[in-house]
Amino acid sequence: MKVRFWGTRGSLPVSLGGAALRAKLVRSLLAADGRRFADAADAEAWLATQPFGLTQTYGGNSSCVEIERRAPDPAGGNDYLLCDMGSGLRPFGNAVMARHGPQRPNHFHIFLSHLHWDHIMGLPFFTPAYIAGNRLSIYSAHAEAEQALRLQQSPPCFPVPFEALGARIEFIQLEPGRTVTAAGCQVSAKRQLHGGDSYGYRFEAEGRSLVYSTDSEHRLEQAGEAEDFAAFFRAADLVVFDAMYSLADAVSVKQDWGHSSNVVGVELCRLAGARRLALFHHEPIFSDERIAEVEADARRLERITREDGPALEVFAAYDGLEVEL
Amino acid sequence: MDLHATYRDGVLLLQPQGRINHLNAEAFEAALAARQAAQAGRLLIDLSQLEYISSAGLRILMLLSKQIVSAGGRLATAAPTPVVREILEISRFNLIFKIHPTVDAAIAAFAAVG
Ligand SMILES: [Zn+2]
Ligand SMILES: [Zn+2]
């Protein structure tokens, strides 16, 4: 199982921006300190030794994560499995078009955490959805999924109506606790604390497990809450976790805003015995340097709480990241 | 987890001991309520005997702080162990709670502000 992050930013897509790019260039030139580079490969090799926040960017597309199974579909279809349709769905669609061209029909299985705009805004820009012969199976525990997608493609908000999508689109209503099979994966849902509710998903296939848990606030002091989520995350190979705010912000000025922190992510993954934790749904106002700090802080907490247990691998997800499970 | 309570110079001085996590956070909350911590005009939490505090315990401290501040009172902390200091930094509670190096310094600071 391979996980590919197409959009990792929370709430609103952002771009790096000219000033931040310029600042990275200035710091890179200073760090290079007059060094000469023989060719592009030499320059790339040196950049690889520098901090991520200096030479790259976590990226700005909103939530979209692809799960690729190792084994091809025995039925011979072109099945794709995705979590959410944020603006990251657009580059994903472009990559599919580049791979197959418009001819070959594809079947997209998409699990929606909830219907907030940052998690559905990619659909109107998803080229494969306009191509007849393609198929979209949209799984949601929210009964209003179809209504929300039609609404965002209706006047005066958007010029191209939902009916213009040429692909066959079907909606599958999910219920927490009931497992479904999609693209060869067993998938179960868990309701989460978020405005209008959100749902986390656990995917199992090929002896591997992935939990996608975003837009979820936690109150671990309440009886049963920590145990419930630890059971849902149990021994997962990867947990993708809403780490939008610092713990202090999440429980003070941003209490009831429906998001969590790097601290709670580490705690729940520890309780669950999970192997990897991907910090996700990054706060749009955070710079790359700040997200790198959020990651470094989570790793410090991981060391403090490790005791005799196995290490938990912690990283901040970025647009373009691939993780082999 | 134990919670010792004394008064010093008009400041309610609470000293949690041991570890606070999701398993005993509700007991910690109940112990704070039993000491009428939310009603204290001046509350100092001595962290010197606290070995570890999880997000559950920190959330309870935040709720307590909100109650105290909205009633016009003040809350401060003092003397965290190295591990707890690191947790306060990681969680960014150090930006919200005043952390004094010692209990004496904290008491003096309360007295200075009046
Ligand atoms: Zn969101
Ligand atoms: Zn949301």
Side-chain angles (χ1 to χ4, degrees):
Chain A
M1 195 189 267
K2 185 186 272 185
V3 179
R4 201 172 281 119
F5 292 87
W6 293 95
T8 58
R9 190 66 66 158
S11 300
L12 187 75
V14 296
S15 84
L16 177 62
L21 173 60
R22 189 74 167 207
K24 281 181 201 276
L25 286 171
V26 168
R27 283 190 292 126
S28 295
L29 291 169
L30 291 171
D33 194 23
R35 192 191 159 98
R36 291 185 64 85
F37 300 99
D39 51 23
D42 189 21
E44 284 284 357
W46 179 77
L47 285 173
T49 67
Q50 299 299 304
F52 181 94
L54 179 61
T55 63
Q56 296 195 56
T57 180
Y58 288 94
N61 275 312
S62 69
S63 302
C64 184
V65 176
E66 178 190 0
I67 302 159
E68 187 180 302
R69 287 173 56 225
R70 195 190 313 270
D73 185 340
N78 269 330
D79 284 275
Y80 289 94
L81 184 56
L82 295 156
C83 296
D84 281 335
M85 306 194 290
S87 68
L89 187 68
R90 192 180 62 91
F92 164 75
N94 295 345
V96 170
M97 295 299 290
R99 192 185 298 171
H100 305 306
Q103 278 78 31
R104 200 154 161 208
N106 298 294
H107 186 179
F108 303 94
H109 306 259
I110 305 170
F111 286 78
L112 295 180
S113 62
H114 61 315
L115 305 171
H116 284 163
W117 199 20
D118 55 315
H119 297 259
I120 63 171
M121 62 179 9
L123 182 62
F125 302 92
F126 183 47
T127 308
Y130 290 89
I131 296 172
N134 283 338
R135 185 173 163 196
L136 272 69
S137 297
I138 298 175
Y139 298 79
S140 171
H142 289 80
E144 317 87 335
E146 180 169 359
Q147 185 196 345
L149 298 183
R150 287 182 177 277
L151 189 65
Q152 79 165 347
Q153 276 187 262
S154 42
C157 298
F158 199 76
V160 185
F162 187 83
E163 292 72 29
L165 300 173
R168 182 177 139 203
I169 301 179
E170 60 185 1
F171 291 86
I172 296 113
Q173 172 81 41
L174 298 174
E175 283 168 36
R178 214 184 66 200
T179 302
V180 296
T181 303
C185 276
Q186 300 287 105
V187 191
S188 52
K190 176 163 176 49
R191 193 158 71 93
Q192 304 176 139
L193 180 62
H194 193 67
D197 293 344
S198 71
Y199 291 82
Y201 294 111
R202 183 180 174 108
F203 299 85
E204 312 251 5
E206 302 164 345
R208 295 287 184 273
S209 51
L210 163 76
V211 173
Y212 178 77
S213 175
T214 192
D215 296 64
S216 176
E217 187 167 345
H218 293 279
R219 295 174 181 171
L220 298 191
E221 80 281 7
Q222 293 176 359
E225 159 97 2
E227 286 79 4
D228 270 9
F229 274 90
F232 192 61
F233 292 5
R234 181 74 59 215
D237 293 287
L238 174 65
V239 174
V240 179
F241 190 84
D242 173 358
M244 190 170 185
Y245 304 139
S246 68
L247 177 66
D249 279 351
V251 301
S252 61
V253 285
K254 290 167 184 171
Q255 188 183 356
D256 301 327
W257 287 23
H259 294 286
S260 192
S261 63
N262 54 353
V263 169
V264 172
V266 170
E267 288 179 358
L268 284 176
C269 284
R270 271 263 167 272
L271 287 172
R275 290 183 182 81
R276 297 182 194 83
L277 166 62
L279 307 172
F280 185 76
H281 205 272
H282 305 305
E283 159 72 78
I285 63 167
F286 280 2
S287 65
D288 288 325
E289 292 72 20
R290 179 63 195 275
I291 295 172
E293 275 177 38
V294 171
E295 178 187 69
D297 283 345
R299 288 175 175 169
R300 280 164 77 191
L301 186 65
E302 190 277 331
R303 279 191 295 275
I304 290 173
T305 55
R306 191 181 301 169
E307 294 176 353
D308 301 328
L312 167 70
E313 190 187 323
V314 183
F315 51 87
Y318 56 89
D319 295 13
L321 173 66
E322 291 184 0
V323 181
E324 186 77 50
L325 303 186
Chain B
M1 193 276 304
D2 270 325
L3 186 66
H4 286 221
T6 50
Y7 271 95
R8 249 184 75 180
D9 300 342
V11 176
L12 174 59
L13 179 59
L14 295 180
Q15 189 186 65
Q17 304 190 339
R19 299 172 66 84
I20 300 171
N21 57 28
H22 67 282
L23 296 172
N24 62 9
E26 283 181 323
F28 177 53
E29 193 171 24
L32 290 169
R35 310 282 189 236
Q36 298 196 307
Q39 286 77 44
R42 299 164 164 195
L43 176 63
L44 176 61
I45 301 180
D46 172 6
L47 300 171
S48 62
Q49 303 304 311
L50 187 63
E51 294 161 26
Y52 175 79
I53 185 163
S54 76
S55 67
L58 289 171
R59 225 179 87 83
I60 284 165
L61 285 184
M62 181 64 75
L63 296 174
L64 174 64
S65 165
K66 280 183 181 175
Q67 287 176 293
I68 289 176
V69 170
S70 68
R74 282 188 293 132
L75 176 145
T77 66
T81 54
V83 164
V84 169
R85 172 173 285 282
E86 204 170 355
I87 290 170
L88 292 172
E89 288 169 6
I90 289 167
S91 61
R92 309 225 164 205
F93 268 68
N94 61 330
L95 303 178
I96 293 181
F97 288 165
K98 183 81 192 148
I99 306 172
H100 297 277
T102 64
V103 168
D104 287 344
I107 297 283
F110 270 117
V113 180

